[in-house]
């Protein structure tokens, strides 16, 4: 049974950096079982209706500005997988989840930064998925849960975002290892409830978690919610393990959660 993951994609600079976190993701890609395909929910693809990519070869989207030229030269020409995309559509139909097929959109940096560190050769098929911040956490979890059967076929399900992601609070010019207390407080609360699979509390994180409005600002919850899609995909096992956590710029979290075996 393939686990599902929530993986922080951090700042775009990760794509050209060599640090503790990039080394961890590179090693993770080498050591975990090689998936048949990857289904990835990206915080940088929002849609009011669930989108399912059915693309032959993805283009690379540079959905950021003001970064070094080297970032804009990166290509990640992953292939799609028509069969897996169609199976996802069938699973959504069975669960009465509305969806639309997407046949043109490329991979945004929430997808390709993570994928390139895990599988630098772009040799694992990818099905890109949108997220909808306007849904309730219960609804986001249900979408992930509807895909749980894919894990039995060695298909990796990933939610890409960030547990603490507040662009108004990050200190891009200060990267000396200091961590803001409020970021740690939120992540520690989250860890306790994830490990206990406490859905009742997690679904109300915005009112129950300390400093939630700083860690997950209402205008930026799209980076947090991929955790519910990834978690739902492992509902049959209900096992959560924090396998990496570090921080950059004072409070930008690089958390990796593994759900399931």
């Amino acid at each position: 049974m393939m686990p599902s993951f929530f993986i922080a994609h951090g700042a775009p600079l990760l794509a050209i950096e060599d640090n503790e976190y990039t080394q961890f993701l590179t090693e993770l890609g080498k050591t975990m079982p090689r998936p048949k395909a990857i289904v990835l929910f990206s915080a940088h693809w929002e849609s009011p209706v669930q989108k399912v990519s059915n693309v032959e070869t993805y283009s690379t989207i540079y959905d950021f500005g003001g970064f070094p030229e080297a970032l804009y030269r990166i290509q990640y020409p992953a292939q799609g997988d028509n069969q897996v995309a169609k199976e996802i559509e069938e699973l959504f139909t069975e669960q009465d989840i509305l969806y639309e097929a997407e046949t043109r959109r490329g991979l945004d940096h929430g997808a390709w930064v993570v994928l390139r560190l895990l599988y630098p050769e772009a040799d694992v098929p990818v099905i890109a998925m949108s997220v909808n911040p306007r849904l309730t956490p219960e609804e986001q979890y249900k979408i992930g849960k509807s895909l749980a059967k894919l894990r039995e076929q060695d298909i990796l399900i990933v939610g890409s975002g960030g547990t603490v992601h507040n662009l108004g609070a990050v200190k891009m010019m200060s990267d000396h290892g200091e961590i803001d207390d409020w970021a740690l407080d939120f992540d520690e609360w989250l860890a306790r409830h994830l490990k206990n699979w406490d859905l009742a509390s997690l679904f109300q994180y915005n009112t129950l978690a300390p400093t939630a409005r700083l860690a997950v600002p209402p205008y930026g919850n799209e980076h947090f919610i991929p955790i519910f899609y990834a978690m739902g995909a492992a509902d049959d096992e209900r096992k959560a393990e924090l396998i990496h956590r570090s921080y950059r710029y004072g409070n930008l979290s690089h958390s990796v959660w593994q759900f399931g075996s």
Side-chain angles (χ1 to χ4, degrees):
M1 178 78 78
M2 184 70 69
S4 61
F5 289 92
F6 174 82
I7 301 177
H9 60 249
L13 287 170
L14 282 178
I16 55 174
E17 291 178 328
D18 180 11
N19 56 42
E20 174 190 2
Y21 187 46
T22 62
Q23 291 168 16
F24 172 82
L25 290 180
T26 298
E27 189 62 23
L28 180 64
K30 293 177 180 177
T31 55
M32 70 177 174
R34 186 175 180 82
K36 170 187 172 184
I38 301 169
V39 176
L40 188 143
F41 293 88
S42 172
H44 286 273
W45 187 11
E46 297 181 46
S47 175
V49 177
Q50 181 62 54
K51 299 280 191 171
V52 182
S53 284
N54 194 342
V55 174
E56 184 174 345
T57 303
Y58 289 95
S59 60
T60 305
I61 301 174
Y62 309 101
D63 50 335
F64 45 77
F67 288 94
E69 181 61 29
L71 278 175
Y72 303 93
R73 293 196 295 267
I74 292 173
Q75 298 285 321
Y76 194 80
Q79 304 293 302
D81 190 310
N82 176 263
Q83 181 178 346
V84 176
K86 292 299 184 184
E87 184 168 0
I88 290 171
E89 294 175 4
E90 291 171 3
L91 291 170
F92 283 160
T93 299
E94 291 173 6
Q95 297 295 320
D96 295 321
I97 295 170
L98 296 177
Y99 69 88
E100 294 177 355
E102 169 57 56
T103 60
R104 300 182 62 183
R105 189 180 188 275
L107 294 176
D108 58 66
H109 86 272
W112 63 257
V113 168
V114 169
L115 293 172
R116 186 167 174 268
L117 288 166
L118 293 173
Y119 302 105
E121 301 301 318
D123 53 358
V124 179
V126 175
I127 297 83
M129 309 284 282
S130 65
V131 298
N132 185 354
R134 295 169 184 82
L135 295 179
T136 64
E138 292 93 334
E139 291 169 321
Q140 294 152 356
Y141 186 95
K142 178 185 175 182
I143 290 172
K145 183 178 177 179
S146 72
L147 303 180
K149 290 181 180 178
L150 298 178
R151 295 172 46 235
E152 299 173 3
Q153 305 171 35
D154 295 328
I155 294 173
L156 176 63
I157 299 175
V158 175
S160 172
T163 57
V164 180
H165 186 279
N166 185 338
L167 294 183
V170 295
K171 307 162 186 174
M172 291 298 292
M173 305 309 294
S174 178
D175 191 21
H176 307 297
E178 302 90 348
I179 306 169
D180 292 336
D181 289 341
W182 60 265
L184 279 172
D185 289 345
F186 179 81
D187 267 342
E188 286 298 320
W189 180 92
L190 181 64
R192 288 194 300 274
H193 293 281
L194 285 173
K195 290 176 181 178
N196 291 327
W197 214 271
D198 180 4
L199 296 180
S201 296
L202 290 167
F203 290 165
Q204 299 183 66
Y205 74 90
N206 57 329
T207 57
L208 296 180
T211 69
R213 292 184 68 83
L214 269 175
V216 188
Y219 61 82
N221 68 330
E222 77 286 340
H223 274 75
F224 182 72
I225 61 171
I227 204 166
F228 292 125
Y229 294 88
M231 194 180 186
D235 180 79
D236 54 343
E237 293 188 85
R238 296 197 166 197
K239 175 184 176 183
E241 181 182 1
L242 179 64
I243 61 173
H244 179 88
R245 187 167 71 193
S246 57
Y247 294 86
R248 297 288 297 280
Y249 317 119
N251 51 65
L252 184 65
S253 66
H254 290 162
S255 295
V256 179
W257 281 92
Q258 176 176 323
F259 302 115
S261 301

